[in-house]
Amino acid sequence: MYEQVKLDYGFADLEPYIDTLTMETHYGKHHAAYTANLNAAAEKAGVADKPIEELLSSLVIIEDPALRTAVRNNGGGFYNHNLYFANFSPNAQHAPSGKLAEQIDKQFGSFEALKEELSKKAAGQFGSGWAWLSANTKGELIVDTSPNQDNPFMAGEGYTPLLALDVWEHAYYLKYKNLRADYIKAYFEILDWKKVGERYEALG
Ligand code: MN
């Protein structure tokens, strides 16, 4: 049974960057639906006992194409939103520190440069999808995007996502309408780099 991440903040606590109604709808309806649909599809496909990371890394084991697509879309939606919501905090640490900060400086020159790269990629993702900061097995960082509810596990490159930036319109349209760039700026006001850094350090 796959379960939505429990939030350590309330729906209203991310105001004014993410509004309460968007949180209620996004977490309470969209994310809840992906989770319920994943549980139903994974049960039918006989794969519901697999950790989600493993399941999304090995979708080919599901023979039925319709079930495989259902697990891909809803399993992606389940995992991606768990990471997205878990990384927020009303008292966010606004810049990385420690090992992650060192690696960012080494690869991108500065934190500002990384943020700009992530923002540019997120803004440029055509249609619905996600922008990612991931790490490979050597601890190197990768910035990329995926369409729909796809994620780095599905690429099969051994990347582990550290940060997920949802650019589906449902993530911002109620407050920001068509202004995706404004939402991306707001995202970085509540993204907790302490949590992102802990994910990086947990990889060893
Ligand atoms: Mn979403």
Side-chain angles (χ1 to χ4, degrees):
M1 180 86 166
Y2 300 99
E3 289 182 21
Q4 276 182 276
V5 67
K6 299 276 178 283
L7 304 183
D8 57 9
Y9 53 86
F11 286 161
D13 294 346
L14 304 180
E15 295 269 7
Y17 305 106
I18 293 185
D19 59 288
T20 310
L21 185 58
T22 294
M23 279 302 298
E24 282 170 7
T25 316
H26 200 182
Y27 180 88
K29 309 278 188 209
H30 291 281
H31 190 194
Y34 289 124
T35 306
N37 293 339
L38 166 65
N39 279 312
E43 194 64 44
K44 254 192 222 165
V47 294
D49 58 328
K50 291 197 181 300
I52 190 65
E53 296 85 350
E54 189 188 321
L55 179 56
L56 297 178
S57 302
S58 57
L59 288 166
V60 287
I61 63 166
I62 303 169
E63 284 174 23
D64 181 87
L67 271 182
R68 194 187 315 130
T69 299
V71 171
R72 178 182 193 128
N73 291 340
N74 293 291
F78 163 74
Y79 176 89
N80 300 352
H81 289 93
N82 263 9
L83 180 59
Y84 175 78
F85 288 120
N87 272 345
F88 288 144
S89 169
N91 309 302
Q93 180 185 306
H94 284 120
S97 53
K99 222 174 123 184
L100 178 59
E102 281 168 33
Q103 187 66 28
I104 287 172
D105 286 347
K106 193 173 141 192
Q107 282 186 245
F108 297 89
S110 69
F111 170 54
E112 283 310 313
L114 166 75
K115 213 162 110 174
E116 203 181 306
E117 172 77 3
L118 255 171
S119 300
K120 204 173 72 186
K121 288 239 166 101
Q125 166 63 30
F126 184 75
S128 297
W130 294 77
W132 303 95
L133 176 66
S134 303
N136 67 17
T137 50
K138 289 188 259 175
E140 296 160 340
L141 302 169
I142 301 100
V143 174
D144 61 2
T145 59
S146 62
N148 308 314
Q149 294 295 352
D150 285 359
N151 68 32
F153 291 116
M154 299 171 192
E157 308 268 7
Y159 296 170
T160 302
L162 305 172
L163 166 170
L165 204 179
D166 191 347
V167 293
W168 281 59
E169 285 185 344
H170 69 222
Y172 60 89
Y173 211 83
L174 291 177
K175 182 177 172 79
Y176 296 96
K177 302 295 185 282
N178 57 318
L179 303 177
R180 186 189 282 187
D182 287 358
Y183 155 73
I184 292 169
K185 265 188 216 142
Y187 169 90
F188 284 107
E189 295 295 325
I190 46 172
L191 174 70
D192 192 351
W193 283 96
K194 183 167 182 280
K195 294 178 175 178
V196 181
E198 283 165 2
R199 290 181 200 288
Y200 184 65
E201 298 206 3
L203 298 176

